[in-house]
Amino acid sequence: MCGIFAYTGKNSKNAGEVLLDGLSSLEYRGYDSAGMFLPESGVVKSTGAVSHLRRKMPAGYFGKSGIAHIRWATHGEPTEQNAHPHKDCTGDIWLVHNGIIENHKELREKLSKLGHTFISTTDTEVLTHLIEEHLKKEKDFEQATLAALREVKGTYGIAVEYVAEPDKIIAARMGSPVVLGLGEHERFVASDASPILKHTSQVVFLEDGEIAVVTPDRHEIFKLDGAKVDRLAEKIDWNVEAAQRGGYQHFMLKEIMEGPEVVKNTLRGRLLEKEGLAKLGGLESVADEIKKAQRMVIVGCGTAYYAGLTGEYMLEEHAGIPVEVELGSEFRYRHPVLNPETILLAISQSGETADTLEAIREGKRRGALTLGIVNTVGSTIARETDAGIHNHAGPEIGVASTKALVSQLTALALLTMFLGRQRSMSIETGQEIARELLLLPEKVQTILDGRGKIEKLAKKYVKSRDFLYIGRKYNYPIAFEGALKLKEISYIHAEGCGAGEMKHGPLAMIDEHFPTMAIAPSDSVYEKVVSNIEEIKARKGPVIALATEGNDEIKDLADDVMYVPKTLEILSPILTIVPLQLFAYYFAREKGYNVDRPRNLAKSVTVE
Ligand code: AGP
């Protein structure tokens, strides 16, 4: 998730300053590199945050229009060469992009054959050369951009400038947000309203499949087929912070609400439904070693560890590969037995967690093949592992990890298909999992649409000082993750426990003041969980059951019920974790705590 910002004006404002200022408020979207292009003054790029770009701005860098970008790397390392804006061969067309171009490899090959020279390793650069190629035929900037975009598969929010028409900016949206800002003799284009609000509250949101042709006093919107679109401006009264949070009160809620998009982005270009296969480009370079692997050790910390634990169930049942899951902080001192037939898989949102990183280095010393499931492109773990899978979940700002986990579980399901189909998994099972994975974004959205009920429940139980979370099989790790979410943002005692393990001790804690969250989807161990709930009810313990839609009988047993749509057992954690994230969020918010910056914690733990 990058940030784009563009400006064209007729008044005395320096586009360079307007863009630099706007990029600062978009910095929460990424901080790998930044750059801008002004037709009058040329291009400036830098790695790192906006402050680095400001230092590189030459004196007298001035213009009346320009495009700018803040990068969160997805394709191509976070280098200056890969920083946006990108240009075409002539240097006349400049473009900034937020999103993922799925067919960038095919387009790059086609354009290279036509004589185009590529400078960066990004997916984005194909867009400038594609527009250049169509400009040769169309002789019109707008028509060339429309024709180029009709060839593109994937997601984009873009702003393009053509030096021959310096006050004109073309914006386009497919899957990534784009908003226009309408000011006095000036227009703005941005990924969200946060950089615009300082200048105007009049905005127009583009829809998917639309482009906008923007000049200081005009903006026209067209469909990709050229049809004109009339859309009224809206007045928004958010402050910049609220705009960054997309109008949500906290980044944590915004990131939970991004669940459906995050599943789509993690799956994008990686599922071959008909063949029942997963295509993981990031593992191609070590495909042979992976085929020979006899065992997998997954290592992670906190939420990433619980993702790994869920992956163990998926991989052992559906890929037939023996898996162990280790805490990073323990693994590095445990003298693990590893060899070249062992895959050591590190899971990390930030890619900088010291304990997980040292575990990888230990694995390398012992000859293991090291892989990563990492959200931050270019991070140390992403660079030091032999190969891996990027989550494409976008930057996660809230300290409590939410969307990254949803993406990690989705990536683990893809990895299970990838390894399973090399081993014992049938094409029918592969096709079934692929079909269900593609239905997940909608099912997650159904849960989010019902969040009002979860908020009520959280308010009902907010006085609780203790909470037990129980689950079995695929939802055993989710019980621990649910408890972790509540612990880390509401500061109460919350404990995960295998539902079958309760009677070996934890049941002693239960009484009418000690509620339990029982994760009980209609799966192969449902009946077992029901009997565990009965054990709790026998001790007058209040129970919130997390069940599958259509299961009415559980209402007679539990005090309260939260529902999730039906899906395959292997994928149920991707759904059951969402109500638990929402419950913890509303619980902590009701307590008035700073949900995004909980006490005593850091987003990335880079020390031991
Ligand atoms: C989870 O909400 C916490 N922020 C924490 O447990 C986190 O999962 C852990 O520190 C691992 O971080 P990583 O995924 O960036 O490696």
CSV table of all heavy atoms in Angstrom, one decimal, residues 252 299-306 347-357 373-376 381 396 398-402 404 408 481 484-485 488-489 598 601-606, ligand 1:
chain,number,residue,atom,x,y,z
A,252,MET,N,-6.3,0.2,14.3
A,252,MET,CA,-6.6,-1.2,14.5
A,252,MET,C,-8.0,-1.6,13.9
A,252,MET,O,-8.1,-2.6,13.1
A,252,MET,CB,-6.7,-1.6,16.0
A,252,MET,CG,-6.9,-3.1,16.2
A,252,MET,SD,-6.9,-3.5,18.0
A,252,MET,CE,-7.4,-5.2,17.9
A,299,VAL,N,9.1,-20.8,12.7
A,299,VAL,CA,9.5,-20.0,13.8
A,299,VAL,C,8.9,-18.6,13.7
A,299,VAL,O,8.8,-18.1,12.6
A,299,VAL,CB,11.1,-19.9,13.9
A,299,VAL,CG1,11.6,-19.2,12.7
A,299,VAL,CG2,11.5,-19.3,15.2
A,300,GLY,N,8.4,-18.1,14.9
A,300,GLY,CA,7.8,-16.8,14.9
A,300,GLY,C,7.6,-16.4,16.3
A,300,GLY,O,7.9,-17.1,17.3
A,301,CYS,N,7.2,-15.1,16.5
A,301,CYS,CA,6.9,-14.6,17.9
A,301,CYS,C,5.5,-14.0,17.9
A,301,CYS,O,5.0,-13.6,16.9
A,301,CYS,CB,7.9,-13.5,18.2
A,301,CYS,SG,9.6,-14.1,18.2
A,302,GLY,N,4.9,-14.1,19.1
A,302,GLY,CA,3.6,-13.5,19.3
A,302,GLY,C,2.6,-14.0,18.3
A,302,GLY,O,2.4,-15.2,18.1
A,303,THR,N,1.9,-13.1,17.7
A,303,THR,CA,0.9,-13.4,16.7
A,303,THR,C,1.4,-14.3,15.6
A,303,THR,O,0.8,-15.3,15.1
A,303,THR,CB,0.2,-12.2,16.2
A,303,THR,OG1,-0.5,-11.5,17.2
A,303,THR,CG2,-0.7,-12.4,15.0
A,304,ALA,N,2.6,-14.0,15.1
A,304,ALA,CA,3.2,-14.8,14.0
A,304,ALA,C,3.4,-16.2,14.5
A,304,ALA,O,3.3,-17.1,13.7
A,304,ALA,CB,4.6,-14.1,13.6
A,305,TYR,N,3.7,-16.4,15.7
A,305,TYR,CA,3.9,-17.8,16.3
A,305,TYR,C,2.6,-18.6,16.2
A,305,TYR,O,2.5,-19.7,15.7
A,305,TYR,CB,4.4,-17.8,17.7
A,305,TYR,CG,4.4,-19.1,18.4
A,305,TYR,CD1,5.4,-20.1,18.2
A,305,TYR,CD2,3.4,-19.4,19.3
A,305,TYR,CE1,5.3,-21.3,18.8
A,305,TYR,CE2,3.3,-20.7,19.9
A,305,TYR,CZ,4.3,-21.6,19.7
A,305,TYR,OH,4.3,-22.8,20.3
A,306,TYR,N,1.5,-17.9,16.5
A,306,TYR,CA,0.2,-18.5,16.5
A,306,TYR,C,-0.2,-18.8,15.0
A,306,TYR,O,-0.9,-19.8,14.7
A,306,TYR,CB,-0.9,-17.7,17.2
A,306,TYR,CG,-0.6,-17.7,18.7
A,306,TYR,CD1,-0.5,-16.4,19.4
A,306,TYR,CD2,-0.3,-18.8,19.4
A,306,TYR,CE1,-0.3,-16.4,20.7
A,306,TYR,CE2,0.0,-18.8,20.8
A,306,TYR,CZ,0.0,-17.5,21.4
A,306,TYR,OH,0.3,-17.5,22.8
A,347,ILE,N,8.0,-16.6,10.1
A,347,ILE,CA,6.8,-15.8,9.9
A,347,ILE,C,7.0,-14.5,10.6
A,347,ILE,O,7.3,-14.5,11.8
A,347,ILE,CB,5.5,-16.5,10.3
A,347,ILE,CG1,5.4,-17.8,9.6
A,347,ILE,CG2,4.3,-15.6,10.1
A,347,ILE,CD1,4.1,-18.6,9.9
A,348,SER,N,6.9,-13.3,9.9
A,348,SER,CA,7.1,-12.1,10.6
A,348,SER,C,6.4,-10.9,9.8
A,348,SER,O,6.6,-10.8,8.6
A,348,SER,CB,8.5,-11.7,10.8
A,348,SER,OG,8.7,-10.5,11.4
A,349,GLN,N,5.6,-10.1,10.5
A,349,GLN,CA,4.9,-9.0,9.8
A,349,GLN,C,6.0,-7.9,9.5
A,349,GLN,O,6.2,-7.5,8.4
A,349,GLN,CB,3.9,-8.4,10.8
A,349,GLN,CG,3.0,-7.3,10.2
A,349,GLN,CD,3.7,-6.0,10.0
A,349,GLN,OE1,3.7,-5.5,8.9
A,349,GLN,NE2,4.3,-5.4,11.0
A,350,SER,N,6.8,-7.6,10.5
A,350,SER,CA,7.7,-6.5,10.3
A,350,SER,C,9.0,-6.9,9.6
A,350,SER,O,9.7,-6.2,8.9
A,350,SER,CB,8.2,-5.9,11.7
A,350,SER,OG,8.8,-7.0,12.4
A,351,GLY,N,9.3,-8.2,9.7
A,351,GLY,CA,10.6,-8.7,9.1
A,351,GLY,C,11.8,-8.3,9.9
A,351,GLY,O,12.9,-8.4,9.4
A,352,GLU,N,11.6,-7.7,11.1
A,352,GLU,CA,12.7,-7.2,11.8
A,352,GLU,C,12.8,-7.7,13.3
A,352,GLU,O,13.7,-7.3,14.0
A,352,GLU,CB,12.6,-5.6,11.9
A,352,GLU,CG,12.6,-4.9,10.6
A,352,GLU,CD,13.9,-5.1,9.7
A,352,GLU,OE1,14.9,-5.7,10.3
A,352,GLU,OE2,13.9,-4.9,8.5
A,353,THR,N,11.9,-8.6,13.6
A,353,THR,CA,11.9,-9.2,15.0
A,353,THR,C,13.2,-9.9,15.3
A,353,THR,O,13.5,-10.9,14.7
A,353,THR,CB,10.6,-10.1,15.2
A,353,THR,OG1,9.5,-9.3,15.0
A,353,THR,CG2,10.6,-10.7,16.6
A,354,ALA,N,13.9,-9.4,16.3
A,354,ALA,CA,15.3,-9.9,16.6
A,354,ALA,C,15.3,-11.4,16.8
A,354,ALA,O,16.1,-12.2,16.2
A,354,ALA,CB,15.9,-9.2,17.7
A,355,ASP,N,14.4,-11.9,17.7
A,355,ASP,CA,14.4,-13.3,18.0
A,355,ASP,C,14.1,-14.2,16.8
A,355,ASP,O,14.8,-15.2,16.6
A,355,ASP,CB,13.3,-13.6,19.1
A,355,ASP,CG,13.7,-13.1,20.4
A,355,ASP,OD1,14.9,-13.0,20.7
A,355,ASP,OD2,12.8,-12.6,21.2
A,356,THR,N,13.2,-13.8,15.9
A,356,THR,CA,13.0,-14.6,14.7
A,356,THR,C,14.1,-14.5,13.7
A,356,THR,O,14.5,-15.5,13.1
A,356,THR,CB,11.7,-14.1,14.0
A,356,THR,OG1,10.6,-14.0,15.0
A,356,THR,CG2,11.3,-14.9,12.9
A,357,LEU,N,14.7,-13.3,13.7
A,357,LEU,CA,15.9,-13.2,12.8
A,357,LEU,C,17.1,-14.0,13.2
A,357,LEU,O,17.7,-14.8,12.4
A,357,LEU,CB,16.3,-11.7,12.8
A,357,LEU,CG,17.5,-11.3,11.9
A,357,LEU,CD1,17.3,-11.6,10.5
A,357,LEU,CD2,17.8,-9.8,12.1
A,373,ILE,N,7.7,-15.9,5.4
A,373,ILE,CA,6.4,-15.3,5.1
A,373,ILE,C,6.4,-13.9,5.8
A,373,ILE,O,6.3,-13.8,7.0
A,373,ILE,CB,5.2,-16.1,5.6
A,373,ILE,CG1,5.1,-17.5,4.9
A,373,ILE,CG2,3.9,-15.4,5.4
A,373,ILE,CD1,3.9,-18.3,5.3
A,374,VAL,N,6.7,-12.9,5.0
A,374,VAL,CA,7.0,-11.6,5.6
A,374,VAL,C,6.1,-10.5,4.9
A,374,VAL,O,5.9,-10.5,3.7
A,374,VAL,CB,8.5,-11.3,5.3
A,374,VAL,CG1,8.8,-9.9,5.9
A,374,VAL,CG2,9.4,-12.3,6.0
A,375,ASN,N,5.7,-9.5,5.7
A,375,ASN,CA,4.8,-8.5,5.1
A,375,ASN,C,5.7,-7.3,4.6
A,375,ASN,O,5.3,-6.6,3.7
A,375,ASN,CB,3.8,-8.0,6.2
A,375,ASN,CG,2.8,-7.1,5.5
A,375,ASN,OD1,2.4,-7.3,4.4
A,375,ASN,ND2,2.4,-6.0,6.2
A,376,THR,N,6.8,-7.1,5.2
A,376,THR,CA,7.6,-5.9,4.9
A,376,THR,C,8.7,-6.2,3.8
A,376,THR,O,9.7,-6.9,4.2
A,376,THR,CB,8.3,-5.3,6.1
A,376,THR,OG1,7.3,-5.1,7.1
A,376,THR,CG2,8.9,-4.0,5.8
A,381,ILE,N,14.6,-9.9,7.5
A,381,ILE,CA,14.3,-11.3,7.4
A,381,ILE,C,13.9,-11.6,5.9
A,381,ILE,O,14.3,-12.7,5.4
A,381,ILE,CB,13.1,-11.7,8.3
A,381,ILE,CG1,13.5,-11.6,9.8
A,381,ILE,CG2,12.5,-13.1,8.0
A,381,ILE,CD1,12.4,-11.8,10.8
A,396,GLU,N,1.1,-2.2,8.5
A,396,GLU,CA,0.2,-2.4,9.7
A,396,GLU,C,0.6,-1.4,10.8
A,396,GLU,O,1.7,-1.5,11.3
A,396,GLU,CB,0.2,-3.8,10.2
A,396,GLU,CG,-0.8,-4.2,11.2
A,396,GLU,CD,-0.8,-5.7,11.5
A,396,GLU,OE1,0.2,-6.2,12.1
A,396,GLU,OE2,-1.8,-6.4,11.2
A,398,GLY,N,-1.4,-0.3,13.7
A,398,GLY,CA,-1.8,-0.7,15.0
A,398,GLY,C,-0.8,-1.7,15.6
A,398,GLY,O,-0.4,-2.6,14.9
A,399,VAL,N,-0.4,-1.5,16.9
A,399,VAL,CA,0.6,-2.5,17.5
A,399,VAL,C,0.0,-3.9,17.5
A,399,VAL,O,0.7,-4.9,17.2
A,399,VAL,CB,1.0,-2.0,18.9
A,399,VAL,CG1,1.7,-3.1,19.6
A,399,VAL,CG2,1.9,-0.8,18.8
A,400,ALA,N,-1.3,-4.0,17.8
A,400,ALA,CA,-1.9,-5.3,17.8
A,400,ALA,C,-2.1,-5.8,16.4
A,400,ALA,O,-2.8,-5.2,15.6
A,400,ALA,CB,-3.3,-5.2,18.5
A,401,SER,N,-1.4,-6.9,16.1
A,401,SER,CA,-1.4,-7.4,14.7
A,401,SER,C,-2.8,-8.0,14.4
A,401,SER,O,-3.3,-8.9,15.1
A,401,SER,CB,-0.3,-8.4,14.5
A,401,SER,OG,-0.3,-8.8,13.2
A,402,THR,N,-3.4,-7.6,13.3
A,402,THR,CA,-4.7,-8.1,12.9
A,402,THR,C,-4.7,-8.5,11.4
A,402,THR,O,-4.7,-9.7,11.1
A,402,THR,CB,-5.8,-7.0,13.1
A,402,THR,OG1,-5.4,-5.8,12.4
A,402,THR,CG2,-6.0,-6.7,14.6
A,404,ALA,N,-2.4,-8.5,9.3
A,404,ALA,CA,-1.2,-9.3,8.9
A,404,ALA,C,-1.4,-10.8,9.2
A,404,ALA,O,-1.0,-11.6,8.5
A,404,ALA,CB,0.0,-8.8,9.7
A,408,GLN,N,-1.3,-13.8,6.9
A,408,GLN,CA,-0.3,-15.0,7.1
A,408,GLN,C,-1.1,-16.3,7.0
A,408,GLN,O,-0.5,-17.3,6.4
A,408,GLN,CB,0.3,-14.8,8.5
A,408,GLN,CG,1.3,-13.7,8.6
A,408,GLN,CD,1.6,-13.2,10.0
A,408,GLN,OE1,0.9,-13.6,11.0
A,408,GLN,NE2,2.5,-12.3,10.2
A,481,GLU,N,-4.4,-16.9,20.2
A,481,GLU,CA,-4.3,-15.6,19.5
A,481,GLU,C,-5.4,-14.6,20.0
A,481,GLU,O,-5.2,-13.4,20.3
A,481,GLU,CB,-4.3,-15.7,18.0
A,481,GLU,CG,-4.4,-14.4,17.2
A,481,GLU,CD,-3.3,-13.4,17.5
A,481,GLU,OE1,-2.2,-13.8,18.0
A,481,GLU,OE2,-3.5,-12.2,17.2
A,484,LEU,N,-4.4,-13.4,23.3
A,484,LEU,CA,-3.3,-12.4,23.1
A,484,LEU,C,-3.8,-11.0,22.7
A,484,LEU,O,-3.5,-10.0,23.3
A,484,LEU,CB,-2.3,-12.9,22.1
A,484,LEU,CG,-1.2,-11.9,21.8
A,484,LEU,CD1,-0.3,-11.7,23.0
A,484,LEU,CD2,-0.3,-12.4,20.6
A,485,LYS,N,-4.8,-11.0,21.8
A,485,LYS,CA,-5.4,-9.7,21.4
A,485,LYS,C,-6.0,-9.0,22.6
A,485,LYS,O,-5.8,-7.8,22.8
A,485,LYS,CB,-6.4,-9.9,20.3
A,485,LYS,CG,-5.8,-10.2,18.9
A,485,LYS,CD,-5.2,-9.0,18.2
A,485,LYS,CE,-3.7,-8.9,18.3
A,485,LYS,NZ,-2.8,-10.0,17.9
A,488,GLU,N,-3.2,-7.8,25.1
A,488,GLU,CA,-2.3,-6.7,24.8
A,488,GLU,C,-2.9,-5.3,24.6
A,488,GLU,O,-2.2,-4.3,24.7
A,488,GLU,CB,-1.5,-7.1,23.5
A,488,GLU,CG,-2.2,-7.2,22.2
A,488,GLU,CD,-1.3,-7.6,21.1
A,488,GLU,OE1,-0.2,-7.0,21.0
A,488,GLU,OE2,-1.6,-8.5,20.3
A,489,ILE,N,-4.3,-5.3,24.5
A,489,ILE,CA,-4.9,-3.9,24.3
A,489,ILE,C,-5.8,-3.6,25.5
A,489,ILE,O,-6.2,-2.4,25.6
A,489,ILE,CB,-5.6,-3.8,23.0
A,489,ILE,CG1,-6.7,-4.8,22.8
A,489,ILE,CG2,-4.6,-3.8,21.8
A,489,ILE,CD1,-7.5,-4.6,21.5
A,598,PRO,N,-0.8,0.4,22.7
A,598,PRO,CA,-1.0,-0.1,24.0
A,598,PRO,C,0.3,0.0,24.8
A,598,PRO,O,1.4,0.0,24.3
A,598,PRO,CB,-1.3,-1.6,23.8
A,598,PRO,CG,-0.9,-1.9,22.4
A,598,PRO,CD,-1.0,-0.6,21.6
A,601,LEU,N,4.3,-2.0,24.9
A,601,LEU,CA,4.5,-2.8,23.7
A,601,LEU,C,5.1,-1.9,22.6
A,601,LEU,O,4.9,-0.7,22.5
A,601,LEU,CB,3.2,-3.4,23.3
A,601,LEU,CG,2.6,-4.4,24.2
A,601,LEU,CD1,1.3,-5.0,23.7
A,601,LEU,CD2,3.6,-5.5,24.6
A,602,ALA,N,5.7,-2.6,21.6
A,602,ALA,CA,6.2,-1.9,20.4
A,602,ALA,C,5.8,-2.7,19.2
A,602,ALA,O,5.5,-3.9,19.3
A,602,ALA,CB,7.8,-1.9,20.4
A,603,LYS,N,5.6,-2.0,18.1
A,603,LYS,CA,5.1,-2.7,16.8
A,603,LYS,C,6.2,-3.7,16.3
A,603,LYS,O,5.8,-4.8,15.9
A,603,LYS,CB,4.8,-1.7,15.8
A,603,LYS,CG,4.3,-2.3,14.5
A,603,LYS,CD,3.0,-3.0,14.7
A,603,LYS,CE,2.4,-3.8,13.6
A,603,LYS,NZ,1.3,-4.7,13.9
A,604,SER,N,7.4,-3.3,16.4
A,604,SER,CA,8.5,-4.2,15.9
A,604,SER,C,9.5,-4.4,17.0
A,604,SER,O,10.2,-3.4,17.4
A,604,SER,CB,9.1,-3.6,14.6
A,604,SER,OG,10.1,-4.5,14.2
A,605,VAL,N,9.7,-5.6,17.5
A,605,VAL,CA,10.6,-5.8,18.6
A,605,VAL,C,12.0,-6.2,18.1
A,605,VAL,O,12.2,-7.4,17.8
A,605,VAL,CB,10.0,-6.9,19.5
A,605,VAL,CG1,10.8,-7.2,20.8
A,605,VAL,CG2,8.6,-6.6,19.9
A,606,THR,N,12.8,-5.2,18.0
A,606,THR,CA,14.1,-5.4,17.3
A,606,THR,C,15.2,-5.7,18.3
A,606,THR,O,16.4,-5.7,18.0
A,606,THR,CB,14.5,-4.2,16.5
A,606,THR,OG1,14.4,-3.1,17.4
A,606,THR,CG2,13.5,-4.0,15.3
B,1,AGP,C1,0.9,-8.9,18.1
B,1,AGP,O1,-0.3,-8.2,18.1
B,1,AGP,C2,2.1,-8.2,18.6
B,1,AGP,N1,2.3,-7.0,18.0
B,1,AGP,C3,3.3,-9.1,18.6
B,1,AGP,O2,3.1,-10.2,19.4
B,1,AGP,C4,3.9,-9.5,17.3
B,1,AGP,O3,3.1,-10.4,16.7
B,1,AGP,C5,5.3,-10.1,17.5
B,1,AGP,O4,6.1,-9.1,18.1
B,1,AGP,C6,5.9,-10.5,16.1
B,1,AGP,O5,6.0,-9.5,15.3
B,1,AGP,P1,6.4,-9.7,13.7
B,1,AGP,O6,5.3,-10.4,13.1
B,1,AGP,O7,6.6,-8.3,13.2
B,1,AGP,O8,7.7,-10.5,13.7
